[in-house]
Amino acid sequence: MATLGDIGLAAAINILSAFIFLVAFAILRLQPFNDRVYFPKWYLKGLRSSPTHSGAFVRKFVNLDFRSYVRFLNWMPAALKMPEPELIDHAGLDSAVYLRIYLIGLKIFVPITFLAWAVLVPVNWTNSTLEISKVTYSDIDKLSISNIPEESQRFWAHLVVAYAFTFWTCFVLQKEYEAIASMRLRFLASEHRRPDQFTVLVRNVPPDPDESVSELVEHFFLVNHPDHYLTHQVVYNANKLAQLVKQKKKVQNWLDYYQLKDSRNQSKKPMMKTGFLGLCGDKVDAIEYHKSEIERLSEEIAAERERVTQDSKSIMPAAFVSFKTRWGAAVCAQTQQSRNPTLWLTDWAPEPRDVYWENLAIPYVSLTVRRLIIGVAFFFLTFFFMIPIAIVQSLASIEGIEKAAPFLKPVIEVKFIKSFIQGFLPGIALKIFLIVLPTILMLMSKFEGFICLSALERRSAARYYLFNFVNVFLGSVIAGSAFQQLNTFIKQSANEIPKTIGVAIPLKATFFITYIMVDGWAGIAAEILMLKPLIIYHLKNFFLVKTEKDREEAMDPGSLGFNTGEPQIQFYFLLGLVYAAVTPALLPFIIVFFGFAYVVFRHQIINVYNQEYESAAAFWPDVHGRVITALVIAQLLLMGLLSTKKAAQSTPFLIALPVLTIWFHRFCKGRYEPAFVRYPLQEAMMKDTLERAREPNLNLKGYLQTAYMHPVFKFEDDDEEEEVNEKLEHESVLVPTKRQSRRNTPLPSKFSGSSSPSLPEAVVQEHPQP
Amino acid sequence: MATLGDIGLAAAINILSAFIFLVAFAILRLQPFNDRVYFPKWYLKGLRSSPTHSGAFVRKFVNLDFRSYVRFLNWMPAALKMPEPELIDHAGLDSAVYLRIYLIGLKIFVPITFLAWAVLVPVNWTNSTLEISKVTYSDIDKLSISNIPEESQRFWAHLVVAYAFTFWTCFVLQKEYEAIASMRLRFLASEHRRPDQFTVLVRNVPPDPDESVSELVEHFFLVNHPDHYLTHQVVYNANKLAQLVKQKKKVQNWLDYYQLKDSRNQSKKPMMKTGFLGLCGDKVDAIEYHKSEIERLSEEIAAERERVTQDSKSIMPAAFVSFKTRWGAAVCAQTQQSRNPTLWLTDWAPEPRDVYWENLAIPYVSLTVRRLIIGVAFFFLTFFFMIPIAIVQSLASIEGIEKAAPFLKPVIEVKFIKSFIQGFLPGIALKIFLIVLPTILMLMSKFEGFICLSALERRSAARYYLFNFVNVFLGSVIAGSAFQQLNTFIKQSANEIPKTIGVAIPLKATFFITYIMVDGWAGIAAEILMLKPLIIYHLKNFFLVKTEKDREEAMDPGSLGFNTGEPQIQFYFLLGLVYAAVTPALLPFIIVFFGFAYVVFRHQIINVYNQEYESAAAFWPDVHGRVITALVIAQLLLMGLLSTKKAAQSTPFLIALPVLTIWFHRFCKGRYEPAFVRYPLQEAMMKDTLERAREPNLNLKGYLQTAYMHPVFKFEDDDEEEEVNEKLEHESVLVPTKRQSRRNTPLPSKFSGSSSPSLPEAVVQEHPQP
């Protein structure tokens, strides 16, 4: 049990370390040679060029202007200065809305903190239960609900305040949902033409013996959307091609390097060895070698591309279908096309850069099986992840290693190595697991078959939150591995579980306060310092960077990381809501976290992170849902806690809270969620009409022709790309049917085998001859 | 504990009573004066006319042809003879699919019974646990799992068989779902033109200060579905009008009666009293009086109709919008129209006779609040319904009555009355409650705001099933009121609950066997006798029937009653699946029930029940879901039972079963459910194309104009109806906008205020002038 003094000391240490991080950041960011680490966003936008190109040699690397060091916190107001519309323009709606999550934290917890300190702290403080009971307690506990005697009438205060908290949280959430839904719609409406507004992704195109996928798609949509269908692009399985292109790019880069070297030092021809890592094999002229390599790869690429575009096997049963109007696309995306609801699945096409190409061809049955497998796997991951780690830990012990590899015995027995193994190895297994966990979850989502990066990240975030809740929150509160908890909970009755956790909640307040300071305060300060990218960039710059292009690639700012960042924020919502009525002393720490994190992430979003895709805040329903979950958990735990305090007369009033909260959630879901999954026809029509009036002669087909090409085709040289385009265009204009029975079909053919796609009306009407 | 002999006796009694019912039915149905009770469906179809009109007087009432009595069971093959397609034609798809539920029962349980008797009965029988343990046991129990000693290896047989049962049930369910989905689609496709194929119900039309609902709807759809919108019908609040029309009809009927009386007996003018029930008041000429009454009502009706069609307040913010093509309607029904997802809600219009008019105007927020209220109310109804009944019972005791009404004391103390009150009254409160329960559940569904009768019945059925499960199944197994159970379960751990119930399951086998015989066998036999309608019809015929029209109305066959019938069948699925692996002796009784009920209901559907609406088997996902629920419950209970038998090594294998079953359910949901809620565009397009080819000059507008008129307008005389039609038509063709700002709006108006609805294209393109 920590006293107020202990907490104060921990706070001081963490504030100090945060302060050190900030000072270090303030110094490092002003050095020109770090410029690409701390301001990559501006480089990517083309608004900033390398400072190393101009000026005195020293000033290229070190900032000698000491005045700039004085105002070392001036990035903070700068970060806050940019207004939201500009931020949306600069970094996308996703990032801007992501920042609003921190703001909601402030909006929810600042009034709650005031209310809690005004009402609950006096109510709790003016008791002496803890003093009388003679148990060890900290000063923090005197402010908490633990200090109230059993059966006290004072619990009514907590009850009323819990209602107030719930209503305030729901109120803020509802306002925010409304605001973000309208932001999203405004964003979608104000945007310029985007290919995904006109395009629908069709999956599970059924196999047909007579027609290729491309022909099938064209015929199907000409028949079923005759007035709106414009064009389509089939999806190629270009994974091998992508690999070859990547290889060629690498070789090209080496060639550039050697040519640069050669031009600087004409006397000596650059030589290299062809074997493993350039360490063995024949010594050859590097430039010649790479030139021939490029030639070989170019040939291979051409052959492979030929194969991909010709071979029907490399065409996946999926296609991006574009429509003449947004209205047509909205209709197609929201309706069912065929009798069999697992064929011709239509969905809004994600943004081109958001597409996860590998998953486009998974058939329906496989999808449901994958979902089952991943569901079971995640269950085991969450509750049994300690088992393999415990095995590794036992292997990583001295005895384990000696048993597994007796020949290592003399080495291990050296004292230094022994103490290293004993002290370090057991912990490192868990640490490594926790570091790779987001990657594992991402792989799971990929296996599950989502077709866009944004959906992958959303699903991973949901799983990460669940993992954190079970293993960090419950694990800390009840102190036991998740498996033990599961075992306990299964054996406990439904109303015992909230009691068991509820009772432990106030005792863990000081632990979580420390957690907030370490993970929240210092962690966020470390975030802005960007130590890992900084080191990696300088290492790369020193060892690997050969050309300017390489330097650009070494500067990899990464993206915001919704899948790890959002669950972390949600964890603070959970802590705040759970402790609001129990230990109000924790709330100020939460507020500091939200405020500080808001400023830091605003800075990072403006200056560092690159936007990988734009989902127009499609993640908001998830965020909303998780805050609601935290609220319900908080209510249940308070109920459990109060019922152990023998405040039985007040608990019935608490039962209404989760019911009302869940009802509120369903209300919000019905009211606002459609804005995030559907696209109203009214909007589509309005935008179509406006566009038709403004640009009557727009060549939409040309615009959409190559929007959804596999990225590998885009890396090609221009003339090659054109060739492919031409091929694609050729293919989608002239599709003679290969169907044998085309005119003599007695019943209307499923695809109404047409002869001339340019006359859809005539085709449709001509066909049925009963 | 009943012995085999007891069961045999019970079976004999029930078979005997069923046999008596059948004989009674065989005799009664052959009497011509019962014809309208046992064959009303044929009267309603106009294929049979009253036998009382012709022939000798006696033969009008009694069938004297004794040969027809000999083959008293010949209705059974007759009922089975009608092939399914003809049945669909005769009684609708709903009824035909309803019968298939019984068939599924047979398909699932016949093989399960064979397997259970081949494997489990020998395995159970060849033990002697019960004999050794010296507890009282019945012969039935010797066949059950109770006879196997703890920790026996024989439990593996049950485990394997449970897997076989699950796979077989799922297999049958999947085949059936597939068959019914395709039946539904075929039915929808093969059908003739129906107004609901072209029509969409729009609700929550937002209020507009400038335009009426009708104008608003027209403008909105002209703008947003310019190529497809055809016409619309607003919904009138005609409840008062409906009442007046009903009153007029009644008076008209009396007039007919008196005129008939007068024509028979010319000498005496029929007289009547105007006061209460014709018992007091002035004596007047009946014919004159009723004629004047009719005149008065006609005037009132005219005034009211005028008011309804003129007054904007009696127009609800809802409309039936019809489209030119099925494709257009399918698109509109499946998409979101406006930014605000709670306005302009579109849904497939139910069949005209399926519409529940009263609920069409409930706004979105009110709907969600109603749902919450009903959810809470149903919870209390299920778990606390015993409380008011207990109060009534205590009031209905001798002491209660004497306390509440001391003046009744002398009456009550009479011995006969006293014994009546003591023996009869306490039970009657519960009985009455159970009889009115379906009505209560139906009222709840109505309050919840469903807009069609089929949805009302589906929801009521779901609630009734839940109520039965909690109060009949769990109530019988654990023997306690639902409230006590709830209390027990809340205090028990999650894995204790299946154990508690599982252990009690084998002990209740004989009780449920008796239940099946009484409620199932004898109940179904009583169903075919139709005692209640028979008595009511003859009472009405004797006392009330004045005219031929009255006689037709006295013959009220009712409809199938999905909301009470389906939960009853589902209860047998539950019993069968739960006992399949535990007490296979129960299975033959289930099979007899399903077989017998199938024949009886097939007869009833062919000859008696009238179809109220046609939902094209929209209830199937519910039926499927409830069988799956029963399966999962059975698996959990078996798991609980086995774990108390210390067969711990086998239980982990059982955990996979519910997981797989739920996954199977989700698979089926994704695979087949869309066929029941959406309408594929391919189908719509095919049917449109066919129709356009066959009937190029179809006047669809005329066809759809009055399809969704409030039924009250249809009872009017023809000329009156035409007048209304004309008014409606007039109204929907000429809709000059009243919007003030129509051409000067700087931004595109939300409804793109158009001037001439006949030129939608021009309007849309003309509007935006940026």
Side-chain angles (χ1 to χ4, degrees), chain A residues 360-505:
Chain A
L360 286 181
I362 303 173
Y364 181 80
V365 176
S366 168
L367 270 185
T368 55
V369 173
R370 279 159 183 247
R371 205 151 290 164
L372 173 69
I373 292 170
I374 290 296
V376 173
F378 179 67
F379 174 82
F380 280 97
L381 180 73
T382 307
F383 286 98
F384 299 98
F385 79 96
M386 279 310 292
I387 293 174
I389 285 174
I391 293 170
V392 172
Q393 283 173 347
S394 73
L395 275 184
S397 66
I398 299 291
E399 297 76 30
I401 293 174
E402 284 180 3
K403 213 184 234 167
F407 54 88
L408 283 177
K409 204 170 177 181
V411 184
I412 292 171
E413 293 293 329
V414 176
K415 204 174 173 224
F416 167 72
I417 295 175
K418 191 173 176 180
S419 64
F420 174 81
I421 291 173
Q422 280 178 330
F424 193 63
L425 265 189
I428 209 164
L430 179 60
K431 197 77 199 162
I432 288 174
F433 170 78
L434 289 178
I435 288 171
V436 298
L437 179 65
T439 318
I440 296 174
L441 294 175
M442 203 68 180
L443 283 176
M444 283 174 130
S445 306
K446 280 178 183 167
F447 180 78
E448 217 177 332
F450 292 101
I451 52 155
C452 55
L453 299 174
S454 52
L456 287 171
E457 292 207 339
R458 282 204 296 278
R459 177 53 68 101
S460 299
R463 296 234 162 90
Y464 197 41
Y465 178 71
L466 212 62
F467 188 91
N468 269 348
F469 174 70
V470 171
N471 287 297
V472 181
F473 182 73
L474 292 184
S476 308
V477 169
I478 328 199
S481 76
F483 174 61
Q484 288 163 346
Q485 289 167 35
L486 187 69
N487 206 17
T488 321
F489 290 150
I490 282 181
K491 289 192 177 141
Q492 265 181 339
S493 78
N495 68 348
E496 278 302 314
I497 296 171
K499 279 186 201 169
T500 315
I501 308 171
V503 168
I505 285 288

Side-chain angles (χ1 to χ4, degrees), chain B residues 170-233:
Chain B
C170 288
F171 175 75
V172 171
L173 281 177
Q174 197 244 327
K175 284 276 156 234
E176 201 67 21
Y177 213 150
E178 191 167 5
I180 285 165
S182 83
M183 272 168 83
R184 177 183 160 93
L185 286 174
R186 213 179 322 127
F187 179 76
L188 292 176
S190 74
E191 257 183 334
H192 290 297
R193 200 164 33 246
R194 264 174 36 172
D196 46 315
Q197 293 170 338
F198 295 90
T199 306
V200 162
L201 171 61
V202 184
R203 284 187 294 163
N204 289 5
V205 176
D208 189 286
D210 293 325
E211 296 188 327
S212 76
V213 172
S214 177
E215 291 160 342
L216 204 54
V217 168
E218 174 133 31
H219 289 162
F220 185 86
F221 284 95
L222 273 179
V223 168
N224 292 305
H225 296 266
D227 305 335
H228 308 288
Y229 170 78
L230 181 67
T231 179
H232 73 278
Q233 289 156 72

